[in-house]
Each structure stands twice: as C-alpha cells, then as structure tokens.
Amino acid sequence: NKGLYGRLALSNLKKNGKIYLPYLLTCIGTVMMFYLMQFLYTNPWVKTHNSLRIVLGMGCVVVGLFAFIFLFYTNSFLMKQRKKEIGLYNILGMEKRHIGRIMAYESIYIGIFGIGIGLLCGILFSKLMLLLLARLLGFQLGVSFYVSVGSVLTSVIFFGIIFYNMGFIWSIK
C-alpha cells in the first residue's frame, strides 16, 4: 500500500492530460515570468539605476500577486472539471481524506514539474530579457550569461508555498 496515493495521482495526471496541460503551461509561464522579474530586479546593472529598480520591484510584486490569484483560480476551475471523477472515487468507497491526499500529491507533482521547467525556461530567457531591457532604455550592455541563485531561491520558495497550500487545501477538504 506504500505509495498508493502517489501512483494514483500520477495515473490521474496521465489520464487527464488534456485537462492538465493548460494548467501546467500556466504554471510554467507564471514561474518563468516571476523568475525573469526577480532576475532583472536583482541584476547588478539594474541596481545602479534606482528608478528602474523601483519599477521592477513593483513589477515583482504585481507578477507575484497575479501568479498567486491566477494559479488558485485555474486550480479551482480544474477541480470543477474533475467533479465526476472525484464523485466516482467517493462512490467506490474512498473517504474524503484519501481523495484529498491524492489531490495533494497531484498538486505536488505539478508544482515540482512546473517550477522546474518554469525556472529552466526563465534561466534560458534571462539574458535575452536583460539585453532587451537595456536596448529599450538605450544602453549598450555587454553581459555574460549567469544564473541568479537568489532569484531561483525566491521563485522556488514563493511557488513552493503556493503549491503546498493548494495541496494542503485539498488534503483537508
């Protein structure tokens, strides 16, 4: 019985791939946007431009708030789409806490995958975004490629909390 809930969650994710794909793409996109804003905000070149740093700091807050609201909204919409499946589990004898555990595992799996791929995409596009920002402001900038560890940690912690809370909500329903 060990790992039953995890296996059921993976099976559900595979079976409901068409439903979960837009949600997963949303997760990846929001993680990528948040990382890019954090990357630009913490960039040493941006730190020398105070007004730009203030605008990017507000942008981080707005993108974080948008990601939080959007992910919770899409998750609740997704669960409404799966109401019949959840009802079937209940009819087959699963208690609400067991169904909640399966949903929590699904949320954790999607969170791990979404955060991982989102960060990878954000890291790949980070230099492009920095050069685009410098170009828009009329600066010539020669930057080497690097990964902002602080931005990665901030993104992992922020989205880890979001996905953990989504899993926690489902585990207690």
Side-chain angles (χ1 to χ4, degrees), residues 41-144:
Y41 178 72
T42 60
N43 187 278
W45 176 77
V46 171
K47 287 182 180 178
T48 62
H49 300 85
N50 199 25
S51 59
L52 180 60
R53 186 164 167 81
I54 292 170
V55 170
L56 287 172
M58 288 188 294
C60 289
V61 172
V62 168
V63 169
L65 185 62
F66 171 75
F68 177 78
I69 292 169
F70 197 61
L71 287 176
F72 270 99
Y73 175 75
T74 54
N75 187 33
S76 66
F77 178 76
L78 181 71
M79 289 304 132
K80 286 179 185 175
Q81 296 289 322
R82 296 185 56 210
K83 216 173 202 174
K84 289 180 183 178
E85 179 185 346
I86 294 169
L88 181 63
Y89 281 146
N90 202 358
I91 290 172
L92 291 174
M94 284 187 125
E95 296 176 12
K96 285 186 177 185
R97 63 187 173 109
H98 297 127
I99 297 170
R101 281 188 189 163
I102 294 170
M103 298 298 161
Y105 273 104
E106 288 178 8
S107 181
I108 290 169
Y109 291 150
I110 287 178
I112 290 170
F113 189 77
I115 291 170
I117 300 298
L119 284 175
L120 183 65
C121 292
I123 290 168
L124 291 175
F125 285 105
S126 59
K127 183 175 180 181
L128 176 67
M129 294 308 290
L130 183 62
L131 292 174
L132 183 65
L133 178 65
R135 180 82 163 206
L136 286 172
L137 296 175
F139 292 104
Q140 292 295 327
L141 189 63
V143 206
S144 61

